Amino acid sequence: MSQKTATPPRDGFSSRFGLIAAAAGSAVGLGNIWKFPYIVGENGGSAFILIYLISILCVGLPVLLAEFIVGRRGGANAVRSFKKLAPNTKWPIIGWLGIIAAFMILGFYTVIAGYTIHYFILSITNAFSGMTSEQITQTFNQFSSGYAPIIYTIIFILLSVIVLFGGIKNGIEKYTKVLMPGLVGIIILLVIRAVTLPGAGEGLQFLFKPDFSQLSMSAILDALGHSFFSLSVGMGTMLTYGSYISKKENLASVSCSIAIADTMIALLAGVAIFPAVFAFGIDPTAGPGLVFITLPNVFLQMPGGNIFGALFFLLLFIAALTSVVSIFEVIITYVTEELNVNRRKALLLTTLAVIVISIVCSLSQTPNTFLSFNGHSLFDWMDLLSANVLLPIGGLLIMLFLGFVMKKDEVADELSQGSKSIKTTMVYLTITKFIAPLAIAIVFLTGIQALFH
Ligand code: PFF
């Protein structure tokens, strides 16, 4: 019997829970547990949180929905989806920018992700026991400016490859369905430990009692920028996941669930961290070192602290892993579809490239490095350029594409799975055409300005 070589059906998420676990897994990452608490600390607490919530609602969420709409309608990688929806135009550039951003974010993100493995080991082996506060700081400074992070970064990348190997349904979905409930369980345990510490009330007040006198213009911009990074939007990640979503799913409700999950976990991370920081009289405005310097001090003073410390770094590890695989997927889906190679080969090529970029990023943190320009290391540049420039530009262009280029019928169809709801579509299109682009343009212009000062 002659056998026709039919193309196999495209991979995809097999259940709603799997889709939400994977997409929320992408959104919930180092941004929620490492960055959110320290920017809240630096910007005076709860007034900042309020601005952040408004940014998520008015900008982050509409961009997330836009990416899902373009991805599902296009049914392909970030570049090809635009090619299909707007043939012979320059719009596929959005996809290209996304791929560049993916390499840049992976470059620095996997380095910090590697730290979590080292800190997990330090905590579980009780290595901080007996250390003074200065010694804990020294441990971090010596580690982060040395060569050891390279090893942990490579280990982390190889662990991501295990998740990515099976594809969407049998890889990303399969693992995130287990990892995400695990993450929620750990954070709840840590929250219970933190709020039952004597003196925890002060930390909760810092988080939940707004003090608007602390709110500066730069805090507002930080909040808006962070809402992009935190929801993983502006670079085609959610667009790529969107291309694997079945036609049955209601994209608006899935997007809301993800935004709620992401915000809840960021807030819970704050509740797990600040009461403990205040209970032990430690400065809450410690900046990026909050997690790796301040928290080991906190755990050291806590009964059973090494176990809670290990749990915390495990939490950070899981959060980073489920985000890193989503960024990888932008590149892998592109390479498989455009270079016409199988997933295994695409994974190998992408992994090698990411390992090289991450090593260079990590080396830029060592003393006397030549990988530093204009007062920032290459590592910082990757972070600044992706979060302050590429993500806002990507988000802005996606909104403009959806608002002005894509056919209104197609948007309505994707929004309502066929039964066209004109009112929702009109409200959504007004946000996409005017409100969100304006807000993003402001963040972008200010972000650029900050880079060159
Ligand atoms: N949302 C992730 C976090 O908060 O850590 C970071 C991230 C993941 C950014 C995926 C962008 C992305 F495409």
Side-chain angles (χ1 to χ4, degrees):
M1 213 167 55
S2 79
Q3 194 125 52
K4 285 230 174 89
T5 46
T7 30
R10 203 164 180 269
D11 199 357
F13 293 106
S14 67
S15 67
R16 182 165 200 183
F17 177 64
L19 157 67
I20 292 185
S26 168
V28 173
L30 296 173
N32 302 60
I33 299 162
W34 169 66
K35 199 164 180 188
F36 181 75
Y38 88 72
I39 53 178
V40 169
E42 285 178 338
N43 288 301
S46 50
F48 175 83
I49 294 183
L50 203 66
I51 304 296
Y52 176 73
L53 295 180
I54 297 172
S55 311
I56 288 276
L57 201 68
C58 299
V59 186
L61 183 59
V63 181
L64 171 61
L65 183 53
E67 287 206 22
F68 277 161
I69 291 175
V70 174
R72 187 164 76 176
R73 198 76 189 177
N77 64 75
V79 176
R80 193 181 288 191
S81 286
F82 286 104
K83 278 191 189 153
K84 280 183 163 176
L85 297 174
N88 305 318
T89 62
K90 297 265 184 297
W91 289 99
I93 281 183
I94 303 177
W96 278 109
L97 290 175
I99 288 168
I100 296 170
F103 277 116
M104 288 175 110
I105 296 183
L106 283 173
F108 73 88
Y109 203 89
T110 52
V111 176
I112 306 273
Y115 291 6
T116 66
I117 303 179
H118 179 60
Y119 270 73
F120 173 77
I121 298 170
L122 288 181
S123 302
I124 202 126
T125 54
N126 221 350
F128 294 114
S129 149
M131 277 195 196
T132 62
S133 180
E134 286 75 46
Q135 284 170 322
I136 291 180
T137 311
Q138 215 176 23
T139 305
F140 176 72
N141 290 341
Q142 263 170 11
F143 169 70
S144 61
S145 62
Y147 296 102
I150 294 179
I151 315 244
Y152 290 104
T153 304
I154 294 176
I155 295 174
F156 187 90
I157 294 174
L158 296 179
L159 291 171
S160 319
V161 170
I162 297 178
V163 177
L164 286 158
F165 193 74
I168 300 296
K169 187 166 82 201
N170 296 322
I172 295 179
E173 180 173 350
K174 187 175 106 185
Y175 283 94
T176 50
K177 260 168 38 181
V178 179
L179 290 172
M180 289 312 283
L183 177 144
V184 173
I186 297 176
I187 205 161
I188 289 175
L189 266 179
L190 291 170
V191 163
I192 295 174
R193 170 69 276 195
V195 297
T196 50
L197 286 169
E202 211 185 324
L204 291 177
Q205 221 178 28
F206 177 75
L207 268 178
F208 294 116
K209 202 164 142 244
D211 174 5
F212 287 97
S213 65
Q214 293 281 334
L215 211 58
S216 63
M217 188 58 195
S218 82
I220 298 176
L221 297 165
D222 268 0
L224 204 51
H226 187 64
S227 70
F228 263 78
F229 187 78
S230 189
L231 282 181
S232 310
V233 294
M235 52 164 286
T237 299
M238 292 301 189
L239 191 157
T240 305
Y241 272 6
S243 74
Y244 293 111
I245 299 180
S246 103
K247 289 285 177 207
K248 292 196 306 267
E249 299 296 350
N250 182 319
L251 295 181
S253 96
V254 169
S255 306
C256 288
S257 311
I258 293 160
I260 292 171
D262 186 56
T263 311
M264 290 297 293
I265 299 287
L267 291 175
L268 286 177
V271 175
I273 291 174
F274 287 112
V277 168
F278 276 86
F280 296 112
I282 290 167
D283 180 16
T285 60
L290 182 69
V291 157
F292 296 107
I293 297 174
T294 311
L295 286 188
N297 271 300
V298 169
F299 291 127
L300 200 54
Q301 298 180 48
M302 196 186 263
N306 63 325
I307 302 296
F308 286 104
L311 276 176
F312 178 81
F313 290 109
L314 179 63
L315 169 79
L316 211 52
F317 168 79
I318 296 175
L321 185 69
T322 53
S323 296
V324 162
V325 295
S326 73
I327 311 177
F328 253 100
E329 193 55 48
V330 177
I331 309 169
I332 294 168
T333 301
Y334 174 82
V335 174
T336 0
E337 290 176 353
E338 300 303 311
L339 306 188
N340 229 341
V341 295
N342 63 26
R343 188 170 179 91
R344 202 180 286 188
K345 204 161 176 190
L347 191 53
L348 181 70
L349 291 174
T350 314
T351 306
L352 289 177
V354 171
I355 288 181
V356 171
I357 297 172
S358 303
I359 291 178
V360 176
C361 263
S362 187
L363 286 176
S364 80
Q365 300 281 84
T366 52
N368 310 322
T369 178
F370 62 92
L371 297 160
S372 159
F373 322 93
N374 212 13
H376 292 294
S377 66
L378 186 73
F379 180 100
D380 294 337
W381 274 108
M382 296 280 198
D383 181 4
L384 287 169
L385 281 178
S386 53
N388 292 5
V389 182
L390 289 175
L391 263 47
I393 292 191
L396 180 66
L397 292 177
I398 290 169
M399 291 313 255
L400 295 176
F401 179 80
L402 198 105
F404 296 100
V405 180
M406 222 174 135
K407 294 191 191 84
K408 211 185 291 169
D409 272 4
E410 288 186 326
V411 177
D413 191 45
E414 285 300 329
L415 269 179
S416 54
Q417 311 150 275
S419 62
K420 297 190 176 62
S421 144
I422 291 303
K423 216 163 119 199
T424 345
T425 311
M426 290 323 285
V427 172
Y428 180 59
L429 282 179
T430 312
I431 299 176
T432 52
K433 278 184 174 164
F434 307 109
I435 303 175
L438 194 70
I440 301 168
I442 297 172
V443 181
F444 172 59
L445 292 176
T446 322
I448 289 266
Q449 212 186 4
L451 271 187
F452 297 101
H453 273 88

